[in-house]
Amino acid sequence: MTVKIGEKAPNFGVSEWVQGTPTNFDQEKDHIVLLEVFQVNCPGCFMHAIPEAINIYEKYKDEGVRVLGLATAFEDFDKNTLDNLKMLAETGEVVGETKSALSQYGQLQDGSKLSFKIPFPLGMDMLTKNSGEISQEKILEFIYPQIPNFDSQPEDYRNQIIQRVKDHMKSKEYSAETFENFSLQGTPSVILVDRKGILRDVSFGQTGHIDGMIQQILDED
């Protein structure tokens, strides 16, 4: 699936909601939707992205803006689990590198719990266990969004990239539907959809521009 800015956003994959009412892009008509995609084992997600998402939630919750959190997994499959997401939602407890980093910066309570509550709905991405042979078609589907002019590259370069992607795919125990459908580069990432269900932004990492984009969409109405 190729997802494009300016076109209708497909629904994101979710296996289970652990907090809040189940929903998706097509159920949020007349709302602007900010989907914060994170991993439970991702220090930057909890130090920067989730606090930023909470600020946006607090600022715009009465203006028709919905903030949703989706935990995904593209690595550390032993820590980025549904059970650890449930524990996070129920008790605020964090694990792994998130726990180590927040502890180092004195940002935990009782040794392992967040100092803040996540106020918006939280779901888990749809994970599928990988098995069988990795097809050339699947490899190219992964490459094209990252390297649009891939076919015009020298053959040696193309073969190197194909082998690298194949090795990467072999090392992945699971495929995460939302992460792959939206060609996310890592976590934290944000997916922004306007009131008409049109995809307006997909961003990885520091996303200080999101507040301005939401304001711009609000001003359009």
Side-chain angles (χ1 to χ4, degrees):
M1 181 188 297
T2 305
V3 175
K4 290 184 180 169
I5 304 289
E7 293 185 1
K8 193 88 170 170
N11 277 344
F12 54 89
V14 60
S15 59
E16 189 173 329
W17 289 95
V18 304
Q19 178 172 293
T21 306
T23 189
N24 216 305
F25 291 140
D26 65 352
Q27 295 171 47
E28 291 294 337
K29 292 179 174 64
D30 299 326
H31 286 129
I32 297 164
V33 184
L34 174 69
L35 183 68
E36 184 71 52
V37 184
F38 66 99
Q39 290 187 109
V40 174
N41 192 41
C42 167
C45 297
F46 289 86
M47 295 176 77
H48 307 292
I50 290 176
E52 181 184 24
I54 292 171
N55 288 341
I56 286 173
Y57 168 83
E58 297 291 352
K59 183 174 179 180
Y60 295 110
K61 63 183 177 183
D62 298 324
E63 296 188 51
V65 177
R66 288 275 278 152
V67 178
L68 308 171
L70 188 75
T72 191
F74 62 89
E75 61 188 357
D76 303 328
F77 296 107
D78 58 324
K79 296 184 183 70
N80 293 313
T81 63
L82 177 61
D83 285 344
N84 283 341
L85 178 65
K86 285 179 176 175
M87 182 170 70
L88 171 73
E90 289 164 14
T91 69
E93 194 166 337
V94 291
V95 297
E97 291 168 29
T98 302
K99 181 178 174 180
S100 299
L102 293 184
S103 177
Q104 186 182 338
Y105 287 98
Q107 294 183 15
L108 292 179
Q109 294 178 338
D110 303 329
S112 64
K113 294 182 179 178
L114 292 179
S115 58
F116 54 85
K117 173 90 173 99
I118 299 173
F120 43 78
L122 294 172
M124 185 75 199
D125 202 351
M126 183 71 75
L127 301 184
T128 307
K129 195 162 180 63
N130 290 328
S131 59
E133 187 58 31
I134 299 159
S135 69
Q136 186 82 349
E137 184 184 6
K138 198 169 182 183
I139 291 169
L140 292 173
E141 273 179 12
F142 181 88
I143 291 171
Y144 285 139
Q146 327 281 342
I147 312 173
N149 62 343
F150 180 73
D151 288 338
S152 62
Q153 298 296 320
E155 186 179 356
D156 284 355
Y157 173 80
R158 293 202 312 270
N159 290 338
Q160 271 181 16
I161 296 294
I162 286 168
Q163 189 58 51
R164 202 177 300 166
V165 170
K166 191 171 187 176
D167 292 343
H168 166 70
M169 287 180 162
K170 277 183 180 173
S171 74
K172 284 178 61 181
E173 196 177 342
Y174 293 91
S175 292
E177 184 178 317
T178 307
F179 190 86
E180 299 198 358
N181 281 356
F182 285 85
S183 301
L184 301 183
Q185 296 172 44
T187 54
S189 285
V190 295
I191 298 169
L192 184 65
V193 173
D194 69 18
R195 294 181 193 274
K196 298 183 179 73
I198 302 300
L199 183 66
R200 299 293 288 265
D201 191 61
V202 178
S203 297
F204 165 59
Q206 298 298 324
T207 51
H209 68 290
I210 290 295
D211 192 309
M213 286 200 77
I214 290 172
Q215 196 61 61
Q216 183 184 331
I217 296 170
L218 285 169
D219 291 344
E220 288 171 5
D221 298 332

